Amino acid sequence: MARSRERFLAGESAGPGVRSEILSSWSRCQSLGLLPSLGTTYQGEPDLNTELVHAAQPVLDELAAAIAGTWSTVILTDGEGLVLRCLAGQPQMTRYLDDAGGGAPGFSFHESLAGTTSIGLALVERRTSRVYGHEHFADAWIVQGCVAVPVHDPLSGRIVGIVDLATERSEFTPTLETTARKAVRAIERRLLKQKTDRERALLQAYMQIARQAEAPDFMEGRRYALGTPPEDILTGSDRLLLEEKAAGLIASGRRAAIEVPVSGGRVATLLARPVADACEGVAVEVIVPAGRALFAMEGTPATKPPVPRTDTVGTLGTVELPGARHGPPPEVAAPTAVPAPTAVPAAGESPPQCHRWVLAVGEPGIGRLALTARHRLELLRESSRRIGTTLDVVRTAGELAEVMVENFADAVTVDLYPPVLQGDEPSASDGLLMQRAAVSGADGLPFPGVDEQIDFDPTSPQAQCLASGSPTIEADLKAARCWATHDPIRTAEILDRGVHSLITVPLSARGVALGVASLYRSRRSAPFEDDDVCLAAELVACASLCIDNARRYTREHATALALQRSLLPRDLPEQNALEVAHRYLPAHIAVSGDWFDVIPLSGARVALVVGDVVGHGVHAAATMGRLRTAVQNFSTFELTPDELLTHLDDLVARMAEEESGTDTFIGATCLYGVYDPTTRRCSLARAGHLPPALISRDGTVTFPEVPAAPPLGLGGFPFETVEIELPDTSQLVLYTDGLVEDRERCIETALEELRQTLGHPGRSPEETCQAALAALPSSRPNEDDVTLLVVRPRSLDPSDMACWDDLPLDPAIVSEIRGAVLRQLAHWELEEIGFTTELILSELLTNAIRHATGPVQVRLLRDRTLICEVTDTSSTSPHLRQATTTDEGGRGLFLVAQLAQRWGTRHTPRGKVIWAEQPIPRG
């Protein structure tokens, strides 16, 4: 975020890691000419003798006690961001705020003065806002994490203040936001109590009428109370603003019309009309232009603005409209003090199009209902934003518990069937045995903890709601005996701690029961009511879909991961040329197609492979398996790295042709190398892959210049092989892009950080793997697979090699070489296989003398097997054939194949090598 902020302030793109609301705020601050080093924002002494200050005083006193001794602050501002009260948990925080210039009463946190802060953002966005660290525009606040919650007037619904809680950004926790929300609700309840007796009497009368009303017309009127605007007409901020203004019109109880600027340069019109139904109230209609700005404010008022109709709309000033309660509003003149816009189309123009619907219906003075409805709408909106941010079952259950505790209940537990946590569907055999997935707000309460198994009693509310599929409510837990039958001691202790009411809601999606959510309230809150059950059911229903999506993803992810792991090497083959360590870390989002391999070759050589298939999921894993098998098959032909990649490139192109016409794209990157322990040289080639890292003995890390080539599947591009020397004390690190690539940093920076991580001498390959994975950011789940292969070369000791060079093409030399080989085997104490070695070598050498050209070389290698090699300058490969009884020859290679464990031919730049391997006797 610090780098994103620096780039933005430098006039560059901030990058994808910045939240949209923060980026919009930065842009507004920059357009106002604000600088990160802001000056004073002092606006003069505020009026502290207000309803807000009186209502907030006891709540702020409680907050002051709660933050005492901590590095936290509480700030109360008015509806314009002007500081009214500031409390600090530590005296040093007061000095910090004074130095920063914004903590004392009279200073403003309005965005136009103080830049991007949680308070200013809450006033603009008209909702709870969070700003962390370098998301602040001003340098003075980048050490803080802040959350600001608006305080609404209970009757009009307008924002009258902000409660902001801040602490050091490293100490910011969700508990801070929970505390702020509960404080705001307490302030709003105290504001409601300050209203007149008449308003409270209207509230009581309305609620009594609502409970007693059974007439169909009343219920029909309730259904007509809210309208739904067309899609994509208003933004979320527009809707919140219009709802707030409509609440004010309802509270006024008068016939009126006002204009409200909305996004896109448009102006919406709100029409308030008194209506009479089962009870008297006010209906508010909204008229919104559909396209461009349709209302141009003029300097002189219009004398007769047009009458609003369903197809065209004329704009009215902010006036009271006299007249009857029913029927269209009469034409009225706007007063001179309020300029009226004109919307008269020119001759020949069609009237402008608009959208019109009923926004709200309510009774004047009923503030608590509006306040409750707004809280519930905010809770639903907040839950949709915060629940289901990941595809993790446990995390989603935790998000549900956190949101409910912050806004609805005092303690919440979420219990799921154990198969759900594994991605499966529960079965009838699971009964009522569940596993606790989340618990929140239960500090000091003896609830079972996370991961504990709970077997609910059949008479418990949880079991009853699961059996019926509907929520249950226990308004008085002391009277609910069935709740205490399962664990009387624990439940008695819970009751002693003040828990008094419970709502249980089944978690189910697509007809499958997943678990149960239990919502508790204690002495700090009023008991649950019947209306709360509907809200809890709606919240849990949304969360249930998120949990089910996470469950399905868990199952698919487990399937893809199982396929991926089954296609990766389980145990690396035994070989002496390299000390190998490896790691595979699957992606958090979806399994990718990364793979690695270590393949023994002839002559004690070893092939190293690391690759990455484009895409995620089962298809990528299956493609990876095909490519890994292909590389193993191609390696048996003893191809050079560039030749092998060429064949692999053709294979990927053919696979892409097979998938033509589908949405599946096939591509891959690959790094292939061959290490020869007799020369300590490694041949490397890569196709679209990142270069390997070479760690020298002193810890210096370099990236060998392996020529880059396009990824596999593009075709027509040549690959190039280079050779590097690998000393015995060095390490070669092969990896996939998941280890280094990050959206927030360039690849050069990532490779430099990898260099610093690997640059430590004296490590083993295993320790190097651990260090590389430990350097991955723990706060960010890996979005791609991470594959790591670290090897330390072991050269073949000269005493384990015997070589006879430049042998003439003379059959007489065969007996001489046989004798020399027998003496070498005696020196190695391998006389037991001397006879078979003598036969194999005689056949290979005789075959070279008869059919090959140039000087011949014979080499013996003692490794895990005894390797016999005969090298000549011919490129013609011998072929094994079945000789008939009348043939005089053709049985030599057949004899070699019977005596040797493996044999074959590999081509070199100067000819070929025929080789055969024999197992070395134990001991």
Side-chain angles (χ1 to χ4, degrees):
M1 182 55 63
R3 290 192 291 268
S4 299
R5 179 174 175 270
E6 291 173 1
R7 289 195 294 266
F8 179 85
L9 294 175
E12 304 173 3
S13 174
V18 184
R19 291 185 287 153
S20 59
E21 57 265 31
I22 297 297
L23 189 59
S24 299
S25 179
W26 284 355
S27 301
R28 292 192 296 267
C29 295
Q30 197 175 59
S31 65
L32 293 173
L34 298 181
L35 298 175
S37 54
L38 295 173
T40 179
T41 62
Y42 185 72
Q43 302 298 304
E45 289 296 324
D47 181 11
L48 301 180
N49 188 24
T50 63
E51 290 184 349
L52 175 63
V53 174
H54 294 315
Q57 184 61 50
V59 180
L60 295 179
D61 292 341
E62 293 182 7
L63 289 177
I67 68 171
T70 67
W71 290 87
S72 304
T73 61
V74 178
I75 294 178
L76 174 69
T77 74
D78 63 9
E80 297 298 326
L82 195 67
V83 176
L84 303 176
R85 288 288 307 277
C86 180
L87 307 174
Q90 290 277 8
Q92 294 89 332
M93 289 298 296
T94 304
R95 291 195 294 270
Y96 161 73
L97 293 174
D98 292 340
D99 294 340
F107 283 87
S108 175
F109 278 96
H110 197 276
E111 187 181 78
S112 61
L113 299 173
T116 304
T117 62
S118 55
I119 296 174
L121 197 60
L123 291 174
V124 173
E125 298 286 337
R126 313 189 73 78
R127 60 183 174 88
T128 300
S129 297
R130 307 153 195 87
V131 177
Y132 313 103
H134 285 85
E135 289 182 338
H136 289 89
F137 188 81
D139 293 332
W141 309 109
I142 60 177
V143 298
Q144 288 190 308
C146 312
V147 57
V149 183
V151 180
H152 294 84
D153 182 87
L155 297 184
S156 68
R158 64 186 180 89
I159 295 177
V160 295
I162 299 287
V163 172
D164 180 86
L165 268 68
T167 186
E168 290 182 312
R169 59 184 180 182
S170 59
E171 302 296 330
F172 191 91
T173 63
T175 306
L176 201 68
E177 183 172 339
T178 303
T179 303
R181 288 179 179 273
K182 291 184 176 181
V184 167
R185 289 202 298 270
I187 294 174
E188 290 176 339
R189 286 195 296 268
R190 291 183 59 83
L191 284 173
L192 183 62
K193 291 180 180 179
Q194 293 178 0
K195 302 302 177 181
T196 64
D197 294 337
R198 171 59 181 164
E199 291 166 340
R200 287 196 293 272
L202 284 173
L203 170 63
Q204 184 177 1
Y206 182 87
M207 295 182 68
Q208 183 177 1
I209 292 173
R211 285 192 297 267
Q212 296 177 353
E214 296 179 358
D217 57 346
F218 178 80
M219 299 305 295
E220 183 178 359
R222 290 184 62 185
R223 286 198 297 270
Y224 186 68
L226 294 177
T228 302
E231 294 293 333
D232 301 328
I233 296 302
L234 297 174
T235 65
S237 299
D238 290 339
R239 291 188 178 94
L240 289 175
L241 181 59
L242 291 177
E243 290 170 3
E244 182 176 312
K245 298 296 185 182
L249 290 175
I250 293 174
S252 68
R254 296 188 296 265
R255 188 181 187 87
I258 62 171
E259 292 175 345
V260 182
V262 293
S263 60
R266 299 170 297 170
V267 177
T269 302
L270 293 182
L271 301 177
R273 299 181 181 182
V275 295
D277 204 332
C279 60
E280 295 184 354
V282 176
V284 179
E285 295 184 49
V286 60
I287 305 171
V288 179
R292 59 182 178 83
L294 302 179
F295 305 91
M297 300 298 293
E298 303 293 340
T300 58
T303 56
K304 278 193 176 182
V307 179
R309 300 193 302 272
T310 57
D311 55 344
T312 63
V313 59
T315 310
L316 304 176
T318 308
V319 296
E320 295 183 14
L321 302 179
R325 292 179 179 269
H326 304 281
E331 298 181 357
V332 297
T336 307
V338 182
T342 58
V344 180
E349 293 185 1
S350 59
Q353 298 298 315
C354 64
H355 299 279
R356 181 172 183 169
W357 68 95
V358 175
L359 179 65
V361 171
E363 183 180 353
I366 307 305
R368 183 173 180 269
L369 294 180
L371 184 64
T372 302
R374 183 169 60 253
H375 281 162
R376 294 189 174 188
L377 287 174
E378 290 178 351
L379 178 54
L380 291 172
R381 188 161 44 241
E382 185 77 1
S383 64
S384 65
R385 184 182 66 85
R386 294 179 54 187
I387 299 176
T389 59
T390 67
L391 288 172
D392 182 83
V393 174
V394 175
R395 180 58 195 149
T396 304
E399 291 170 345
L400 169 62
E402 291 171 4
V403 170
M404 298 291 270
V405 165
E406 291 177 5
N407 303 274
F408 188 71
D410 293 321
V412 175
T413 62
V414 180
D415 304 302
L416 302 175
Y417 287 106
V420 174
L421 297 171
Q422 307 301 324
D424 300 323
E425 292 186 1
S427 61
S429 61
D430 294 318
L432 295 175
L433 180 63
M434 296 190 184
Q435 184 171 331
R436 180 135 297 172
V439 57
S440 182
D443 297 338
L445 295 174
F447 286 114
V450 175
D451 294 334
E452 289 191 34
Q453 287 194 340
I454 304 171
D455 193 1
F456 289 108
D457 190 89
T459 61
S460 65
Q462 289 83 356
Q464 293 175 12
C465 81
L466 285 172
S468 64
S470 302
T472 63
I473 180 173
E474 298 290 349
D476 186 1
L477 285 177
K478 291 183 178 180
R481 296 182 178 180
C482 62
W483 179 69
T485 55
H486 178 62
D487 191 346
I489 298 177
R490 178 173 288 176
T491 52
E493 186 177 352
I494 292 175
L495 291 176
D496 292 340
R497 300 291 180 88
V499 176
H500 52 68
S501 59
L502 164 68
I503 291 179
T504 56
V505 187
L507 287 157
S508 62
R510 302 177 179 93
V512 177
L514 307 175
V516 62
S518 304
L519 290 65
Y520 300 86
R521 279 187 181 175
S522 63
R523 61 172 63 97
R524 294 176 294 178
S525 305
F528 284 119
E529 300 176 353
D530 292 339
D531 289 344
D532 296 322
V533 177
C534 299
L535 177 60
E538 188 169 356
L539 289 168
V540 174
C542 296
S544 298
L545 289 176
C546 296
I547 291 176
D548 189 57
N549 290 336
R551 177 190 65 82
R552 290 168 175 260
Y553 165 77
T554 301
R555 181 178 59 190
E556 295 176 0
H557 185 269
T559 302
L561 182 59
L563 175 62
Q564 175 88 343
R565 292 193 182 278
S566 68
L567 296 175
L568 288 173
R570 295 176 181 172
D571 296 313
L572 295 180
E574 296 180 351
Q575 46 81 33
N576 291 341
L578 297 168
E579 179 185 354
V580 181
H582 60 88
R583 292 289 189 279
Y584 170 71
L585 187 64
H588 178 77
I589 300 177
V591 175
S592 183
D594 289 17
W595 91 92
F596 66 93
D597 222 336
V598 177
I599 307 172
L601 302 177
S602 64
R605 298 171 309 134
V606 178
L608 304 173
V609 191
V610 169
D612 184 5
V613 175
V614 175
H616 295 82
V618 175
H619 187 272
T623 303
M624 177 275 293
R626 297 175 66 181
L627 294 184
R628 178 173 177 250
T629 302
V631 171
Q632 289 182 330
N633 292 335
F634 290 150
S635 66
T636 60
F637 295 105
E638 304 286 354
L639 301 174
T640 60
D642 60 303
E643 292 175 334
L644 185 141
L645 291 182
T646 299
H647 287 287
L648 200 62
D649 183 54
D650 294 337
L651 175 63
V652 174
R654 291 196 299 271
M655 293 168 61
E657 291 178 0
E658 295 174 0
E659 299 291 341
S660 61
T662 67
D663 296 334
T664 303
F665 173 78
I666 294 182
T669 66
C670 184
L671 174 62
Y672 182 81
V674 177
Y675 172 68
D676 189 344
T678 63
T679 62
R680 295 185 300 184
R681 307 282 297 178
C682 184
S683 303
L684 295 165
R686 61 184 176 122
H689 207 84
L690 293 171
L694 180 60
I695 309 173
S696 62
R697 179 177 183 180
D698 60 358
T700 303
V701 180
T702 59
F703 295 95
E705 295 184 0
V706 181
L712 300 172
L714 298 182
F717 296 93
F719 303 98
E720 186 176 350
T721 298
V722 297
E723 282 193 357
I724 60 173
E725 184 175 356
L726 297 182
D728 287 350
T729 55
S730 64
Q731 294 184 38
L732 189 65
V733 181
L734 286 71
Y735 53 92
T736 55
D737 54 5
L739 182 67
V740 294
E741 286 192 353
D742 189 346
R743 296 179 180 178
E744 297 183 359
R745 58 180 181 176
C746 62
I747 189 62
E748 291 78 9
T749 302
L751 291 178
E752 183 58 33
E753 292 179 1
L754 178 63
R755 185 201 305 271
Q756 296 174 3
T757 301
L758 301 178
H760 293 272
R763 285 176 175 168
S764 65
E766 187 68 25
E767 292 171 340
T768 301
C769 280
Q770 294 175 0
L773 293 186
L776 293 174
S778 58
S779 59
R780 177 183 60 84
N782 52 308
E783 299 178 356
D784 198 2
D785 289 5
V786 176
T787 302
L788 187 62
L789 184 64
V790 181
V791 299
R792 174 184 286 167
R794 298 170 179 163
S795 61
L796 194 62
D797 193 277
S799 62
D800 291 327
M801 295 185 291
C803 186
W804 296 269
D805 297 326
D806 298 329
L807 301 178
L809 297 178
D810 184 359
I813 200 67
V814 176
S815 60
E816 180 180 342
I817 295 300
R818 283 204 304 263
V821 167
L822 290 176
R823 289 191 294 273
Q824 183 63 45
L825 293 179
H827 177 69
W828 286 340
E829 299 181 354
L830 296 177
E831 295 92 342
E832 184 177 345
I833 59 174
F835 178 72
T836 55
T837 304
E838 186 178 8
L839 288 178
I840 291 173
L841 184 61
S842 296
E843 292 298 333
L844 296 182
L845 185 57
T846 301
N847 186 72
I849 292 174
R850 288 183 177 181
H851 304 288
T853 60
V856 178
Q857 180 192 68
V858 175
R859 188 170 70 164
L860 288 182
L861 302 177
R862 183 178 64 170
D863 193 47
R864 303 185 67 85
T865 60
L866 181 65
I867 305 170
C868 300
E869 296 182 345
V870 175
T871 304
D872 58 59
T873 58
S874 172
S875 60
T876 303
S877 300
H879 297 282
L880 180 67
R881 67 184 180 90
Q882 184 72 38
T884 63
T885 56
T886 58
D887 290 341
E888 296 182 358
R891 297 177 178 83
L893 289 181
F894 180 78
L895 181 62
V896 170
Q898 297 299 313
L899 297 176
Q901 180 176 291
R902 292 195 313 155
W903 77 279
T905 304
R906 71 172 181 268
H907 292 274
T908 66
R910 297 183 179 180
K912 69 176 183 295
V913 177
I914 305 177
W915 55 271
E917 293 182 1
Q918 301 176 76
I920 294 179
R922 295 181 179 180

